[in-house]
Amino acid sequence: MSSALKETIGRYGIWSVGLRSEEPSLRAELTEAAAELEQLGYGAVWLGGSSSVANAVPLVEATTRIAVGTSIQSIWQYTAAESAAGFAELEAAHPGRFLLGLGVAHAKNTAEYSRPYSAMVAYLKALDEAGVPAERRLLAALGPKTLELARDHAAGSIPYLVTPEHTAKARAALGETPLLAPELKVILEADPTRARAVARETLAMYLVLPNYTNNFLRNGFTEADLADGGSDRLVDAVFAWGDEASVRTRIDDFLAAGADHVALQLLDGDSRAGLPREGWRRLAALLG
């Protein structure tokens, strides 16, 4: 089934916090943007933040083909029963269009956080019992144990804030069949100073979260790389920045390392909750 999923979502998707907005006044703009992403040829929309099936519904309804996934839904925010009920309702109306991306979120932001691996195991078991198929759920897996869960009890992994080197390790852990769809932050800015400044504005929120910093340390970075907003080495590893050719090369690095699909988060120095539609058009052109 993962081969069918890979064919459905293709090689490129858009990761966006803005597209999960629940502001009623933005509903028309969100659905129009989703329809344009489908027309531009993207295979998936990944809803950032702690998104849910409810955030996916208007985008699925406004399109005909593009997959819509959560990236991620926190297992602490919605029970497995709630997730299963939402999945079943959307699946009945629009079969095959929604992907349930799950993660354990972060202890710093989650009062209920406790024994995250065991909690994820229990959550997946409850989804099994509720009839949510493994081939329609994905895990935001970073470490070896969670990658094994993604391999054995889901359709694959949607890791966030990773490098091509981590992608290669994840592919080895998953094996050939499961989907591997890392998120990659893109800055269409050729000036190194400006590009890295935009990158560090975004990176700052993640350098206080042990899930990410521990993963960096496991994968060859040092405490010095994590200091002072992140070293150039770290920034250049987890962001694709530069002109169109340089960005395309960096995206291709992830595919060459074993990614089946890359979820592209475009950053332009404005709010991450915005809809950088002209940038999405530029990305589609360089990918074409």
Side-chain angles (χ1 to χ4, degrees):
M1 186 66 179
S2 288
S3 60
L5 177 56
K6 293 174 188 180
E7 184 175 347
T8 296
I9 69 172
R11 284 185 173 266
Y12 310 110
I14 289 295
W15 192 103
S16 169
V17 173
L19 286 169
R20 73 165 300 283
S21 175
E22 297 174 356
E23 172 56 52
S25 65
L26 296 178
R27 178 73 173 259
E29 186 178 1
L30 296 182
T31 56
E32 182 183 286
E36 183 181 16
L37 290 174
E38 181 171 80
Q39 293 168 0
L40 289 170
Y42 293 106
V45 169
W46 302 97
L47 302 180
S50 186
S51 48
S52 71
V53 64
N55 302 122
V57 169
L59 307 187
V60 171
E61 291 177 342
T63 54
T64 60
R65 172 194 55 80
I66 198 168
V68 181
T70 52
S71 183
I72 53 141
Q73 179 180 298
S74 168
I75 65 170
W76 313 105
Q77 189 168 353
Y78 301 92
T79 67
E82 290 170 332
S83 297
F87 178 91
E89 184 175 355
L90 185 52
E91 181 68 9
H94 300 277
R97 298 285 309 286
F98 175 66
L99 299 170
L100 181 61
L102 298 168
V104 298
H106 304 279
K108 180 182 176 70
N109 304 328
T110 309
E112 302 87 351
Y113 198 93
S114 176
R115 297 172 56 84
Y117 178 81
S118 297
M120 179 62 82
V121 170
Y123 201 96
L124 293 173
K125 182 178 180 182
L127 290 179
D128 287 337
E129 294 169 350
V132 178
E135 60 266 23
R136 299 284 298 287
R137 61 203 195 202
L138 296 154
L139 305 187
L142 293 177
K145 291 178 66 178
T146 313
L147 282 165
E148 290 178 3
L149 273 185
R151 179 192 67 202
D152 297 337
H153 300 284
S157 176
I158 48 170
Y160 188 87
L161 200 67
V162 293
T163 64
E165 292 74 20
H166 180 275
T167 299
K169 292 179 181 179
R171 172 52 68 203
L174 290 171
E176 183 177 345
T177 301
L179 178 74
L180 179 55
E183 174 270 351
L184 173 61
K185 295 168 185 60
V186 174
I187 303 168
L188 291 169
E189 171 58 67
D191 180 83
T193 300
R194 288 197 293 266
R196 288 177 176 138
V198 171
R200 288 189 172 96
E201 286 177 9
T202 299
L203 188 59
M205 71 180 79
Y206 302 113
L207 292 180
V208 297
L209 299 174
N211 291 15
Y212 294 124
T213 56
N214 290 340
N215 192 54
F216 289 144
L217 295 173
R218 278 196 304 266
N219 285 276
F221 294 97
T222 67
E223 294 287 355
D225 287 309
L226 308 181
D228 302 320
S231 66
D232 286 354
R233 174 180 176 233
L234 179 62
V235 166
D236 294 351
V238 297
F239 290 81
W241 62 265
D243 59 17
E244 274 84 348
S246 298
V247 167
R248 176 60 192 263
T249 296
R250 194 60 177 155
I251 294 169
D252 287 344
D253 288 343
F254 281 78
L255 296 171
D260 301 298
H261 172 98
V262 186
L264 301 166
Q265 179 181 178
L266 185 67
L267 303 170
D268 57 9
D270 292 332
S271 169
R272 292 172 72 238
L275 301 175
R277 295 177 64 179
E278 179 56 35
W280 290 341
R281 294 173 194 131
R282 288 178 64 189
L283 268 181
L286 75 87
L287 295 170

